[in-house]
């Protein structure tokens, strides 16, 4: 896929987000820009069910026109705070089966947002119902979608308490141990070089491929307000990746400050080794699965996380009693935390390490 668009730093991240959302496997990427126009070529592997026409439409939707993007080059969160999305309550009643959230006949409530901002229209609601009907068939008996007020949306955030297994201290200590050599590095290598270009810093990354790899790197660079002028991404048959990125700061200068270099390298390393956090903890007599991922500056969460969690649990025949999704500040970053209370009432208990491994591999695309 070749894409030419007016260059805005946040767009490359949004393109990677879309490709992740469509479940495509990226084999190679080339990107170059003159500061105004950017050209990206993605070599991807799709699936028989890939909707290429819809993907093209969505890609064109996130690429701004020349008139709408002229003069905008860097994401300024303090100047353009993200608008809180409208929250809708999706309520449907159906007969249950393994793979849904409960046993028996249930009413499931989902607080949802629409990235296309069309959920208030009748057509968008009808399309949503049609997709649910296609998946659930005759099991679904009713479906309602209505906008809710801010007081109801606030209640949808769930519990504010987080157990120690999901706190920043644990993740920071994990990274410290890894950098000190007490844990394996998982083959991650990050080097910066300021000698090869008069105006750019070269960032060279070698790592193992995972689902959303480019999304994680672009998100991190966006958070550090870095601009990519040229880049190349390649993978081999052993799922190893090599990236060469020529970057510069928001002021158009190279990244030469050692402390800023170390900060960027540490964050990229963390995102490559542990882009998500997975832990299974005890909650009284029950067990709760916790999955956390960083929230983007735009306020969006990582695509397909809940889908991957539920699919992984279904594949190891583990039921779900309830699920919550909430936003929490952990350290200086906002995280989206999924809390899934497992349904193990039949007495069968899947080992803790098997559940964590199954969910982790599904999220990383290693299943």
């Amino acid at each position: 896929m070749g894409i030419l668009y007016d260059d805005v730093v946040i767009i490359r991240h949004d393109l990677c987000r879309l490709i992740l959302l469509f479940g495509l496997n990226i084999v190679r990427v080339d990107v170059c820009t003159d500061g105004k126009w950017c050209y990206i070529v993605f070599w991807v592997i799709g699936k028989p069910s890939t909707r290429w026409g819809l993907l093209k439409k969505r890609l064109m939707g996130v690429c701004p026109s020349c008139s709408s993007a002229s003069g905008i080059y860097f994401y300024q969160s303090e100047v353009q705070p993200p608008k809180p999305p409208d929250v809708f309550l999706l309520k449907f009643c159906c007969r249950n089966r393994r793979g849904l959230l409960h046993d028996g006949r249930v009413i499931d409530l989902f607080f949802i947002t629409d990235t296309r901002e069309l959920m208030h229209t009748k057509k968008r609601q009808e399309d949503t119902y049609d997709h649910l009907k296609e998946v659930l068939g005759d099991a679904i008996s009713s479906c309602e979608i209505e906008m809710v007020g801010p007081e109801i949306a606030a209640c949808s955030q769930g519990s504010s308490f987080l157990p120690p297994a999901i706190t920043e201290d644990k993740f920071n200590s994990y990274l410290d141990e890894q950098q000190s050599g007490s844990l394996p590095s998982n083959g991650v290598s990050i080097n910066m070089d300021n000698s090869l270009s008069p105006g750019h810093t070269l960032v060279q990354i070698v790592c193992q491929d995972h689902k959303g790899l480019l999304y994680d790197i672009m998100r991190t660079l966006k958070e550090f307000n870095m601009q990519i002028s040229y880049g190349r991404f390649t993978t081999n048959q052993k799922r190893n990746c090599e990236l060469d990125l020529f970057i510069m700061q928001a002021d158009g200068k190279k990244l030469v400050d050692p402390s800023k270099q170390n900060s960027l390298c540490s964050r990229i390393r963390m995102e490559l080794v542990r882009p998500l956090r997975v832990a299974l903890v005890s909650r009284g007599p029950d067990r709760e699965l916790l999955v956390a991922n960083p929230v983007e500056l735009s306020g969006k969460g990582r695509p397909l996380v809940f889908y991957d969690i539920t699919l992984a649990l279904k594949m190891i025949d583990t039921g779900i009693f309830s699920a919550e999704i909430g936003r929490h500040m952990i350290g200086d970053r906002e995280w989206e935390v999924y809390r899934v209370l497992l349904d193990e009432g039949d007495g069968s208990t899947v080992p803790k390490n098997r559940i964590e491994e199954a969910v982790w591999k599904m999220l990383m695309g290693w299943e």
Side-chain angles (χ1 to χ4, degrees):
M1 301 182 296
I3 305 171
L4 176 68
Y5 61 89
D6 205 21
D7 189 23
V8 184
V9 70
I10 61 173
I11 300 303
R12 269 161 269 161
H13 167 263
D14 290 338
L15 295 176
C16 293
R17 177 187 176 87
L18 264 177
I19 292 174
L20 172 61
L21 187 60
F22 274 75
L24 302 180
N25 182 27
I26 300 176
V27 178
R28 176 180 169 183
V29 178
D30 287 314
V31 53
C32 60
T33 178
D34 60 2
K36 178 173 176 60
W37 293 96
C38 185
Y39 184 65
I40 299 183
V41 180
F42 291 96
W43 281 264
V44 299
I45 299 176
K47 303 175 182 177
S49 59
T50 299
R51 302 169 66 183
W52 297 104
L54 179 61
L55 173 60
K56 180 179 179 180
K57 182 178 179 180
R58 295 288 181 265
L59 290 171
M60 294 180 65
V62 301
C63 294
S65 64
C66 180
S67 59
S68 66
S70 178
I72 303 175
Y73 299 98
F74 297 94
Y75 182 85
Q76 300 289 345
S77 59
E78 67 277 6
V79 177
Q80 299 175 339
K83 174 184 175 293
D86 293 328
V87 178
F88 293 81
L89 175 61
L90 167 63
K91 178 173 65 175
F92 65 88
C93 182
C94 65
R95 298 191 308 272
N96 192 35
R97 64 175 189 272
R98 180 67 74 180
L100 294 182
L101 294 184
H102 301 277
D103 292 323
R105 188 171 182 80
V106 297
I107 296 178
D108 285 324
L109 307 176
F110 294 90
F111 291 92
I112 61 174
T113 59
D114 183 10
T115 57
R116 295 169 61 187
E117 299 181 350
L118 295 174
M119 192 55 71
H120 62 282
T121 65
K122 181 178 180 181
K123 183 179 186 307
R124 183 66 164 161
Q125 294 184 9
E126 290 177 346
D127 288 344
T128 302
Y129 173 78
D130 290 341
H131 284 298
L132 288 172
K133 182 71 174 179
E134 182 180 352
V135 173
L136 299 174
D138 295 336
I140 186 171
S141 58
S142 65
C143 178
E144 299 176 11
I145 302 176
E146 60 183 27
M147 183 183 295
V148 299
E151 67 285 352
I152 302 298
C155 296
S156 69
Q157 291 299 306
S159 172
S160 60
F161 171 75
L162 287 178
I166 209 71
T167 61
E168 185 73 2
D169 289 340
K170 176 179 179 180
F171 303 135
N172 282 339
S173 62
Y174 178 94
L175 183 59
D176 293 340
E177 291 173 353
Q178 185 184 75
Q179 291 175 329
S180 66
S182 59
L183 287 176
S185 64
N186 290 340
V188 175
S189 172
I190 305 174
N191 295 303
M192 290 192 180
D193 191 330
N194 280 306
S195 65
L196 296 178
S197 171
H200 300 86
T201 297
L202 171 61
V203 181
Q204 294 179 304
I205 302 173
V206 179
C207 62
Q208 185 180 9
D209 193 14
H210 69 253
K211 183 190 298 183
L213 173 68
L214 278 181
Y215 166 85
D216 292 322
I217 293 176
M218 294 297 176
R219 172 172 52 80
T220 302
L221 292 174
K222 184 175 73 172
E223 291 176 357
F224 279 76
N225 211 6
M226 295 293 170
Q227 172 78 18
I228 301 175
S229 295
Y230 175 79
R232 172 163 290 185
F233 166 89
T234 57
T235 61
N236 58 30
Q237 294 180 347
K238 296 182 179 180
R239 300 180 67 94
N240 293 323
C241 302
E242 295 184 3
L243 294 94
D244 294 321
L245 304 173
F246 287 85
I247 67 172
M248 60 183 178
Q249 301 182 92
D251 57 7
K253 298 180 180 179
K254 295 195 289 186
L255 182 62
V256 296
D257 187 330
S259 63
K260 292 182 179 180
Q261 288 185 1
N262 290 335
S263 178
L264 178 58
C265 284
S266 296
R267 178 62 65 83
I268 292 176
R269 183 180 298 276
M270 173 62 87
E271 299 301 334
L272 294 178
V273 175
R274 293 178 66 83
L276 302 106
R277 326 303 186 208
V278 179
L280 187 65
V281 300
S282 296
R283 183 171 161 183
D286 303 313
R287 295 192 298 175
E288 184 177 51
L289 177 68
L290 302 174
V291 177
N293 61 267
V295 175
E296 302 172 19
L297 291 177
S298 63
K300 297 178 182 178
R302 188 184 187 89
L304 299 178
V305 173
F306 190 56
Y307 173 85
D308 286 339
I309 293 172
T310 54
L311 179 58
L313 293 176
K314 179 182 179 182
M315 291 178 66
I316 59 175
D317 200 27
T318 299
I320 298 174
F321 179 77
S322 66
E324 294 180 358
I325 307 172
R327 299 286 177 91
H328 301 268
M329 291 301 299
I330 304 177
D332 60 349
R333 306 176 70 191
E334 185 180 23
W335 292 74
E336 190 169 62
V337 179
Y338 296 76
R339 311 182 64 145
V340 181
L341 188 63
L342 303 184
D343 182 6
E344 300 173 306
D346 58 0
S348 60
T349 301
V350 179
K352 176 178 183 293
N353 60 345
R354 186 185 175 197
I355 293 177
E356 291 180 338
E357 181 181 11
V359 174
W360 174 254
K361 286 185 175 181
M362 183 66 68
L363 291 166
M364 297 292 282
W366 298 339
E367 74 287 349

